[in-house]
Amino acid sequence: MSVLVFAENWDGKFKKSSFELVSYASQVAGMMNTTTIVLSLGKVEKSELEKLAGFGASKIVNGIGANLDVFDSQAYCRVISDIAAKEGATVVILSNNNSGKALAPRISVRLKAGIGAGVSKLPISISPFVVHKRAFSGNAFAHLTIRTDIKIITLAQNSFELIEKNAGASVEDVAIHLDGVQTQVKEVQKQSGKILLTDADIVVSGGRGMKSPDNWGPLVQLADLLGAATACSRPVSDEGWRGHEEHTGQTGKIIAPNLYIAIGISGATQHLAGVSSSKYIVAINNDKGAPIFEAAQFGIVGDAAKILPKLVEAVKEIRS
Ligand SMILES: Cc1cc2nc3c(=O)[nH]c(=O)nc-3n(C[C@H](O)[C@H](O)[C@H](O)COP(=O)(O)OP(=O)(O)OC[C@H]3O[C@@H](n4cnc5c(N)ncnc54)[C@H](O)[C@@H]3O)c2cc1C
C-alpha cells in the first residue's frame, strides 16, 4: 500500500503547483499510515528532483525513456499505471490541470480505479474513502465516496498549501522501455513571446466594461509589466475584440492563477466558473454592486479607463 503522486515538470523544472501536489499526497499518505512515492517523467536534473524530497516524499522515482521527454498522454498513462501497480499504490494523485485531466480517465481504465476529479481538500475519511469537491461551477460542494480498491484523485489547482517536511527521500532512476504505444509526439510548437493562459501565475482580464477593442493598450501594458497573461470574458471574444483563446469561464478556459485582475467584468456565474479558483481576485468595476466584488478579495470602484493608466504608472514606479 502506498500513495503515488505524479509530479509534472515544465522544461525540466517543477513549479510551486508540483510541490503543493506532493505536500497534499504526503498528508493523504499520513492519514493512511503509508508512504508517498513521487513519480517524475522525462529529463529533469537531479538537483531539481531532490527539491521534491522537501515536501514529504518517501521515495522519488525518476522515469527516463525515449518517449518521455515530451508529454504524451498514452505513454505517460502506461508508465504511471505500471509504476502504480509495481509500487502497490492504492491512491494515485495528479493535478487537475490539462495533463491530469487527460491522464486520469486513461489511468482509471487501466487500473479499474474510481476517480475523484477536482478535489479541493484532504479526504474526509479513508475508510470509506470520501473526498470533497466543488460542484455546479463552485456554487455547491459534493462528497464523493470512491469504492474501488485503487483510487485516483485529481487535485484542484491552488487548493492546497505547501507543507515542508523532509522525509529523507532519495532519487531512484528507472529506465522505461515502452512497447506498443500507438502515438508518438513528433513536434511541439510553443507559442513564443506570450505567457500561456493556463500556466500563468498572474492574469489580467478585460470584459465589456473596457468598451472597445481600441482600449486594450493599457491592459496589455499592465500584463507585460506584471509578467502576466491576458484573458477576457466571453462577450469580448464573441464580439471579436480579443481572440477566443483568451476566453475564460464555463465555456472557455478554466484557470487558477495566484492573481486574477478582472477589469470591467461583471462577475456572472458562467465567468466565475472559470476563474473562481484563483488565489486572489482583484476587481476594477464602476458599479459597486457588481457580483465580481463578492468573489474578489480586493476591489477598486471606478472607471477602468482612468484607473488602468494609473495602475500602469504605479507598477512602473515600483519596478524602477
Ligand atoms: C450557457 C452560457 C455560458 C456562458 N459562458 C461564459 C463563459 O465561459 N465566460 C464568460 O465570461 N461568460 C459566459 N457567459 C456569459 C455570461 O453570462 C455574461 O454574460 C458575461 O460573462 C458578461 O461579460 P462581461 O462581464 O464582460 O460583460 P457585462 O455583463 O456587460 O459587464 C460589464 C461590466 O463592466 C462594468 N463597467 C462598465 N463600464 C465600466 C467602466 N468604464 N469601468 C469599469 N467597469 C465598467 C459594468 O459595471 C459591468 O459590471 C455564458 C452565458 C451562458 C448563458
Side-chain angles (χ1 to χ4, degrees):
M1 193 170 82
S2 64
V3 171
L4 180 77
V5 52
F6 169 54
E8 188 176 358
N9 70 78
W10 286 261
D11 296 326
K13 299 271 177 236
F14 295 112
K15 287 189 183 174
K16 187 166 162 262
S17 58
S18 313
F19 302 128
E20 284 168 358
L21 202 63
V22 176
S23 303
Y24 177 83
S26 143
Q27 297 297 303
V28 175
M31 289 173 77
M32 295 169 62
N33 262 334
T34 186
T35 51
T36 314
I37 298 163
V38 184
L39 173 62
S40 165
L41 297 178
K43 232 178 257 155
V44 184
E45 296 286 325
K46 194 157 182 241
S47 57
E48 188 69 15
L49 286 164
E50 281 167 352
K51 290 182 187 167
L52 297 166
F55 301 93
S58 323
K59 177 159 121 181
I60 298 156
V61 177
N62 178 31
I64 312 159
N67 294 12
L68 299 176
D69 286 341
V70 286
F71 179 82
D72 174 342
S73 55
Q74 286 206 21
Y76 274 40
C77 158
R78 280 267 299 273
V79 179
I80 297 171
S81 308
D82 290 352
I83 301 268
K86 184 176 154 221
E87 299 287 346
T90 44
V91 178
V92 177
I93 299 177
L94 307 145
S95 168
N96 196 46
N97 62 8
N98 285 342
S99 331
K101 284 177 191 167
L103 289 168
R106 290 185 163 94
I107 299 171
S108 151
V109 172
R110 289 186 84 90
L111 298 180
K112 295 187 173 45
I115 307 181
V119 166
S120 53
K121 286 185 179 174
L122 285 171
I124 290 158
S125 74
I126 291 300
S127 182
F129 199 87
V130 183
V131 292
H132 175 107
K133 59 173 283 180
R134 286 148 33 106
F136 299 113
S137 305
N139 290 318
F141 60 84
H143 288 172
L144 191 78
T145 305
I146 309 178
R147 297 192 197 283
T148 45
D149 292 341
I150 301 174
K151 287 102 180 144
I152 298 174
I153 292 176
T154 65
L155 180 69
Q157 288 161 280
N158 269 336
S159 56
F160 206 72
E161 297 292 322
L162 291 178
I163 300 178
E164 291 190 29
K165 184 176 122 190
N166 201 325
S170 56
V171 178
E172 184 184 300
D173 291 335
V174 175
I176 311 267
H177 305 285
L178 283 170
D179 298 318
V181 174
Q182 285 167 353
T183 55
Q184 191 192 1
V185 179
K186 296 226 162 174
E187 190 187 359
V188 176
Q189 289 187 353
K190 289 195 179 164
Q191 238 180 354
S192 61
K194 251 191 127 182
I195 296 164
L196 207 59
L197 184 51
T198 44
D199 280 355
D201 258 357
I202 306 178
V203 173
V204 183
S205 186
R208 216 152 31 182
M210 291 291 293
K211 307 284 197 225
S212 151
D214 302 335
N215 297 339
W216 241 262
L219 186 152
V220 173
Q221 212 184 346
L222 180 65
D224 288 345
L225 283 167
L226 295 173
T230 48
C232 67
S233 66
R234 177 168 144 176
V236 163
S237 63
D238 284 350
E239 292 283 336
W241 294 4
R242 301 292 293 175
H244 271 289
E245 71 283 357
E246 288 196 357
H247 154 204
T248 48
Q250 187 181 313
T251 46
K253 295 213 166 81
I254 296 184
I255 55 171
N258 278 318
L259 175 61
Y260 183 73
I261 305 178
I263 307 166
I265 293 179
S266 57
T269 322
Q270 295 89 353
H271 185 79
L272 293 177
V275 303
S276 60
S277 294
S278 308
K279 201 160 206 167
Y280 296 103
I281 297 180
V282 174
I284 302 171
N285 197 302
N286 65 359
D287 171 10
K288 68 175 186 328
I292 190 73
F293 287 120
E294 280 169 39
Q297 285 82 7
F298 302 97
I300 305 174
V301 179
D303 182 358
K306 292 189 182 142
I307 293 163
L308 258 173
K310 286 186 185 161
L311 266 181
V312 167
E313 287 314 310
V315 175
K316 274 188 190 162
E317 207 176 306
I318 293 167
R319 281 285 153 90
S320 66

